[in-house]
C-alpha cells in the first residue's frame, strides 16, 4: 500500500497532479482544494488512496490526511463512488462538509453537483457519528451552528492567488472563507487585499 508520494510536481491541472518520484511519474486524481494548495509548489507530498479495479489501478492524491480520511469515509456510503467523493471535496472544504453532515444539513450536501436527495440523506445518516468519532470535525464551532455558504469560485481563486504569493493554504482558506461569509459579494481582488491584512 502506498501511504504518500513525495517528489517534483511535473504537471498540474484542476483534476490531476503528476508527481515525479525516483524517476517515476505518478498520476494522481486530485480535488480542487489540493490543486489550490499545490499551485505555487515545485515539490509536493500527497497522501494516497489506491483504487484497484479489474479494469484500472487509480491513485487519488490528497494534500493532507484529513482530506483523505474524509474521502475514505464518503466512499463507504452506498451510491458514493470515488469521483463523487472527489467532487464533494472540490465543492466544499473538509470542515464545511463535516459541518453540513454533523448538523444534518441535507440541503447543503444536496447542493453539490451529482448528489441527490436520497444520497445526501444517506451520507448524513451513515457518517454523522463517524465524523465526530474520528475527530475530523474538530474545527466545527460549539453548538454545531452551520456556517453560511460562500462563493466557491471566488474562494478557490483567492486561495490560489494567496498560495502563489507564498502563504500556507490551510490558514489562508480560513481567512478567505471568513471574509466571504461577512461579505459574500466581494470580488476576488478585494478578498485577496483584505486577506493580506489578516493572514499572520
Amino acid at each position: 500500500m502506498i501511504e504518500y508520494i513525495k517528489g517534483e510536481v511535473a504537471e498540474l491541472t484542476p483534476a490531476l497532479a503528476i508527481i515525479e518520484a525516483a524517476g517515476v511519474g505518478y498520476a494522481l486524481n486530485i480535488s480542487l482544494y489540493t490543486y489550490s494548495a499545490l499551485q505555487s509548489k515545485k515539490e509536493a507530498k500527497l497522501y494516497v488512496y489506491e483504487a484497484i479495479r479489474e479494469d484500472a489501478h487509480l491513485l487519488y492524491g490528497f494534500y493532507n490526511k484529513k482530506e483523505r480520511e474524509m474521502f475514505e469515509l464518503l466512499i463507504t456510503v452506498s451510491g458514493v463512488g470515488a469521483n463523487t467523493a472527489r467532487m464533494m471535496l472540490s465543492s466544499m472544504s473538509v470542515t464545511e462538509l463535516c459541518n453540513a453532515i454533523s448538523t444534518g444539513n441535507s440541503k447543503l450536501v444536496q447542493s453539490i453537483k451529482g448528489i441527490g436527495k436520497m444520497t445526501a440523506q444517506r451520507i448524513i445518516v451513515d457518517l454523522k457519528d463517524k465524523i465526530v468519532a474520528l475527530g475530523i470535525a474538530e474545527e466545527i464551532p460549539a453548538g454545531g451552528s452551520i456556517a453560511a455558504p460562500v462563493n466557491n469560485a471566488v474562494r478557490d481563486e483567492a486561495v490560489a492567488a494567496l498560495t502563489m504569493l507564498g502563504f500556507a493554504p490551510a490558514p489562508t482558506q480560513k481567512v478567505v472563507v471568513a471574509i466571504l461569509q461577512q461579505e459574500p459579494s466581494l470580488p476576488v481582488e478585494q478578498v485577496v487585499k483584505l486577506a493580506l491584512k489578516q493572514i499572520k
Side-chain angles (χ1 to χ4, degrees), residues 6-86:
K6 186 178 181 182
E8 183 188 335
V9 181
E11 284 182 44
L12 186 65
T13 72
L16 192 76
I18 296 177
I19 307 291
E20 186 177 326
V24 179
Y26 295 91
L28 298 120
N29 296 288
I30 58 171
S31 69
L32 281 176
Y33 169 76
T34 294
Y35 170 69
S36 295
L38 291 182
Q39 276 193 318
S40 61
K41 299 192 182 302
K42 290 178 182 166
E43 292 209 339
K45 174 182 177 180
L46 291 184
Y47 293 92
V48 174
Y49 174 82
E50 294 177 84
I52 300 168
R53 305 197 308 243
E54 282 182 26
D55 59 340
H57 184 170
L58 301 171
L59 298 177
Y60 290 84
F62 305 93
Y63 191 66
N64 56 40
K65 284 186 177 181
K66 279 200 171 183
E67 192 189 15
R68 182 175 65 179
E69 282 175 14
M70 191 72 222
F71 176 88
E72 288 173 339
L73 278 180
L74 288 168
I75 60 174
T76 64
V77 179
S78 174
V80 178
N83 281 331
T84 303
R86 181 171 62 153

